[in-house]
Amino acid sequence: MTDTIRLAPLDNAIQHHHHDYHQIVIGLSGYAEFEIAGQSGIVAPLSGCLVPANIEHYYEGIGDNRQLIIDLPDDASALTGMHRRSRSLFDRPGYFSLDESLQHYLQFLIQEMTRANHASGDLLVTTLLSSLHARLGATLCPPTLTKRAGRSLDIPRLEQFVIARLDRRLSVSDLANLACLSEAHFAERFRDQTGITPYQFVMRLRLTRVRELTTSTDMPLADIAERTGFANQSALSHAFRRHYGHSPMQLRRLSR
């Protein structure tokens, strides 16, 4: 694979993947959100991010947006030979803003790309990377992150997902995948938004269903435990008593 450079918008739906080449994304217009190996940031006009190869990342364009996207395999001319120092840009994920000189070069690069007989893409990319390394190399360790915009989690959707699977073992990873976030980022955002952990959220939904089945049916507790994701009747009773202050059977007697 040779390095590729293109102008493109990012989809307005959350996407995630990883690839075996490095990538640079620079904002030209509009905004995009990224999460790269758990590090979140906003790519605004004249700012960008560095995505190392084989690192899972999530991204989403916000409204109308246009990005400069550069894909760089390990053997790209911009990363080998006399330019191999530029490889250090991809030692870790990073977010950056373009200074005035880089902004001028970006304008030249965009204009050059639109010309019929433009300069070699390899040359354009090599010059950009060398300039980025010269100006940003010292500031990308650790990267300066822009806090990701606080888009709310869809709690009703998460609740429906859990309720439909109460008889199964559910993990934070299952919920994070539904929200297209890393597990750590999802857990942090969930606590910030709801005041409880994802585990507590799932447990409350399980116990709510236990309470409903206990008061509205004569179903044995062992069967209720199986339907609501508890390992056995004892585990159900312990969790129920700790949450409500009394046992399921006490509740059943009081409700009759």
Side-chain angles (χ1 to χ4, degrees), residues 1-4 20-22 71-77 79-80 87:
M1 172 184 173
T2 58
D3 53 295
T4 62
D20 60 0
Y21 49 86
H22 306 299
D71 300 331
L72 293 154
D74 266 345
D75 60 355
S77 58
L79 299 175
T80 56
R87 297 174 69 90

Side-chain angles (χ1 to χ4, degrees), residues 207-221:
L207 292 173
T208 297
R209 184 57 177 156
V210 169
R211 189 179 183 91
E212 292 171 354
L213 292 173
T214 300
T215 57
S216 64
T217 74
D218 293 320
M219 187 181 299
L221 287 185

Side-chain angles (χ1 to χ4, degrees), residues 22-236:
H22 306 299
Q23 191 172 72
I24 298 177
V25 180
I26 298 176
L28 302 178
S29 64
Y31 296 85
E33 293 182 322
F34 277 79
E35 182 184 310
I36 312 166
Q39 298 180 352
S40 304
I42 298 290
V43 172
L46 304 179
S47 68
C49 65
L50 301 166
V51 184
N54 301 309
I55 295 294
E56 185 172 26
H57 52 285
Y58 296 78
Y59 61 93
E60 177 185 14
I62 303 173
D64 293 333
N65 70 93
R66 189 167 178 246
Q67 317 294 330
L68 172 68
I69 303 172
I70 303 171
D71 300 331
L72 293 154
D74 266 345
D75 60 355
S77 58
L79 299 175
T80 56
M82 62 185 296
H83 306 295
R84 62 183 179 275
R85 288 185 178 180
S86 295
R87 297 174 69 90
S88 64
L89 286 169
F90 300 100
D91 285 347
R92 59 188 59 80
Y95 295 84
F96 59 86
S97 295
L98 301 180
D99 63 16
E100 186 175 356
S101 296
L102 286 170
Q103 290 177 26
H104 288 314
Y105 181 73
L106 178 65
Q107 290 178 336
F108 164 76
L109 187 152
I110 300 302
Q111 291 172 357
E112 193 67 18
M113 288 179 63
T114 61
R115 292 177 51 190
N117 298 311
H118 61 72
S120 161
D122 284 352
L123 177 59
L124 294 173
V125 171
T126 297
T127 304
L128 176 62
L129 256 68
S130 296
S131 300
L132 279 172
H133 180 264
R135 288 169 171 77
L136 304 177
T139 65
L140 287 172
C141 180
T144 300
L145 301 183
T146 303
K147 187 67 175 178
R148 184 169 180 160
R151 177 181 285 108
S152 296
L153 294 171
D154 189 344
I155 302 300
R157 183 179 179 218
L158 291 168
E159 184 172 317
Q160 291 173 1
F161 177 85
V162 173
I163 289 173
R165 296 162 177 80
L166 283 178
D167 60 338
R168 309 176 197 176
R169 177 173 294 181
L170 292 170
S171 66
V172 175
S173 178
D174 294 325
L175 302 182
N177 287 338
L178 182 66
C180 287
L181 294 172
S182 71
E183 187 172 332
H185 190 185
F186 172 82
E188 179 183 9
R189 182 176 290 187
F190 192 93
R191 285 194 302 270
D192 289 344
Q193 187 171 331
T194 66
I196 60 175
T197 67
Y199 172 81
Q200 290 171 321
F201 174 72
V202 173
M203 180 58 71
R204 288 184 183 184
L205 291 175
R206 292 192 194 281
L207 292 173
T208 297
R209 184 57 177 156
V210 169
R211 189 179 183 91
E212 292 171 354
L213 292 173
T214 300
T215 57
S216 64
T217 74
D218 293 320
M219 187 181 299
L221 287 185
D223 292 345
I224 293 177
E226 184 176 352
R227 286 199 179 193
T228 53
F230 289 94
N232 49 50
Q233 179 177 333
S234 177
L236 181 154

